Amino acid sequence: MKKSICLSFLGLKGGSGKTIISTNIAYVLASAGNKVLVIDADPQGNATLTLSPKNKKDPGLFYPAMNEFLLDRGIGALDVIVTDTIDQNIHLLPNNLRAAQAALRIEPLVAIGQVMKRLQPIMQNYDYVIFDGRPEDAGLFINLAMICSDYVIVPIDGTYGASSLSALLDLIDDMKNWNAKLELLGVVLNHWMPQRIQAKQLKEYLKAQYPEVYVFNQTIPTSEQIRRTQVMGRTLPVVIGESISPSFKKLAKEIIKTIESREKEKNDQNTYLY
Ligand SMILES: Nc1ncnc2c1ncn2[C@@H]1O[C@H](COP(=O)(O)OP(=O)(O)O)[C@@H](O)[C@H]1O
Ligand SMILES: [Mg+2]
């Protein structure tokens, strides 16, 4: 049986492209026939907005959503997961601003334990589970995403550079105490304008400062089309038809390839150990 892979798109900076990239990668994977569950781990509800059907373009309209799932132990994953999304292979655990309040009121570790108990059994039903994270430090949602995930992908805004990457790497290291399988898969350079001198400097900086960090070869350019689709609450392919943006398609391929080689490395290590 194919293993279910859980990916988190995280970063400590808002606006770096977590939602744009995670929702478009989810769409590319789903179009290739994979069953994908997107967990919107940001009460801003941007992924919810992007992936929800045309008649439900307000994250606040979903009930029950993440808020109810966090607070009410009687709500199972199947009660909260939405199957009517922009693609039949994408299911969505919706979020909205009500969950921001809940996150302040509840004990994070208890909440994470409760949520995992109800979430983990159904994660196996999907080829990929994708968390769209929020820019917080040690908050409930980033912890939840990291405790469930196999791999973290960090989009970096190519214009502003790698601010907070070291802090995020420390957080991932810390989190390995609770989830030993957690690994950084790599960094995606978003808003990529290779002709800019800062772009070259950023690549060199990452190589020198974080030699152990994989930087995806495929970058995402700044594009008016990308910006417009999010304003409309859509993924790129839904707006521009069949021609899925080549950069997302290529990035998805590279993500899958990188996961395969990491999984192989892990298997080889296990064979060696036992
Ligand atoms: N490559 C890009 N080209 C154009 N606009 C982008 C691009 N990446 C992100 N944006 C815009 O920047 C804003 C932040 O992106 P988003 O994916 O929501 O970031 P995050 O989820 O990390 O906060 C959005 O308005 C989005 O439309
Ligand atoms: Mg976002």
Side-chain angles (χ1 to χ4, degrees):
M1 198 181 81
K2 200 174 152 197
K3 186 185 158 202
S4 166
I5 296 285
C6 183
L7 296 171
S8 277
F9 287 77
L10 300 177
L12 296 181
K13 195 180 155 299
S16 52
K18 294 179 291 296
T19 303
I20 281 277
I21 298 173
S22 62
T23 52
N24 279 284
I25 292 300
Y27 192 92
V28 177
L29 291 171
S31 307
N34 294 291
K35 295 257 171 250
V36 183
L37 170 65
V38 176
I39 299 179
D40 189 349
D42 184 348
Q44 285 185 63
N46 292 340
T48 301
L49 182 71
T50 304
L51 300 174
S52 56
K54 249 190 194 148
N55 60 350
K56 224 173 182 181
K57 285 295 176 192
D58 174 353
L61 291 175
F62 287 89
Y63 180 90
M66 182 62 90
N67 183 48
E68 289 73 27
F69 195 51
L70 286 173
L71 293 176
D72 184 347
R73 293 175 194 186
I75 293 183
L78 294 179
D79 300 321
V80 75
I81 286 170
V82 174
T83 55
D84 175 24
T85 69
I86 56 163
D87 187 285
Q88 59 173 6
N89 278 341
I90 299 181
H91 290 177
L92 167 71
L93 199 160
N95 206 338
N96 60 51
L97 279 177
R98 292 183 195 106
Q101 275 288 330
L104 292 177
R105 289 207 310 272
I106 55 184
E107 169 62 52
L109 284 179
V110 176
I112 288 171
Q114 283 300 328
V115 169
M116 274 181 63
K117 223 193 278 170
R118 287 171 290 154
L119 206 51
Q120 270 180 337
I122 64 102
M123 284 168 69
Q124 311 307 320
N125 301 342
Y126 297 92
D127 298 305
Y128 294 93
V129 177
I130 293 181
F131 277 84
D132 177 29
R134 74 182 294 198
E136 53 177 1
D137 40 25
L140 173 64
F141 293 105
I142 203 165
N143 283 332
L144 179 61
M146 286 200 285
I147 254 175
C148 293
S149 290
D150 299 287
Y151 298 104
V152 174
I153 295 176
V154 182
I156 283 186
D157 183 332
T159 332
Y160 289 103
S163 71
S164 298
L165 182 58
S166 57
L168 186 62
L169 295 180
D170 287 349
L171 216 54
I172 293 173
D173 259 355
D174 264 6
M175 202 42 81
K176 283 186 181 168
N177 292 317
W178 281 274
N179 174 12
K181 68 183 193 298
L182 185 71
E183 270 183 40
L184 174 72
L185 192 68
V187 164
V188 180
L189 299 168
N190 186 24
H191 284 294
W192 192 247
M193 287 178 272
Q195 67 280 15
R196 284 201 172 179
I197 187 135
Q198 294 99 309
K200 197 165 166 267
Q201 283 172 344
L202 177 57
K203 262 198 175 155
E204 278 165 9
Y205 170 81
L206 286 171
K207 221 190 221 167
Q209 194 73 19
Y210 305 100
E212 74 287 5
V213 168
Y214 180 67
V215 179
F216 287 97
N217 295 315
Q218 183 58 48
T219 53
I220 306 292
T222 298
S223 121
E224 180 53 25
Q225 227 168 8
I226 293 178
R227 199 196 60 75
R228 266 196 308 122
T229 53
Q230 208 190 32
V231 173
M232 295 159 76
R234 295 281 195 282
T235 52
L236 265 179
V238 171
V239 173
I240 59 175
E242 285 306 299
S243 61
I244 292 174
S245 160
S247 45
F248 289 114
K249 219 173 172 176
K250 286 185 198 156
L251 178 61
K253 255 195 190 154
E254 194 180 350
I255 288 174
I256 292 171
K257 212 175 119 208
T258 315
I259 291 173
E260 279 171 0
S261 78
R262 295 286 182 90
E263 292 287 304
K264 188 173 173 304
E265 266 171 38
K266 279 188 207 168
N267 283 340
D268 291 351
Q269 270 171 10
N270 285 343
T271 322
Y272 180 70
L273 281 173
Y274 299 109

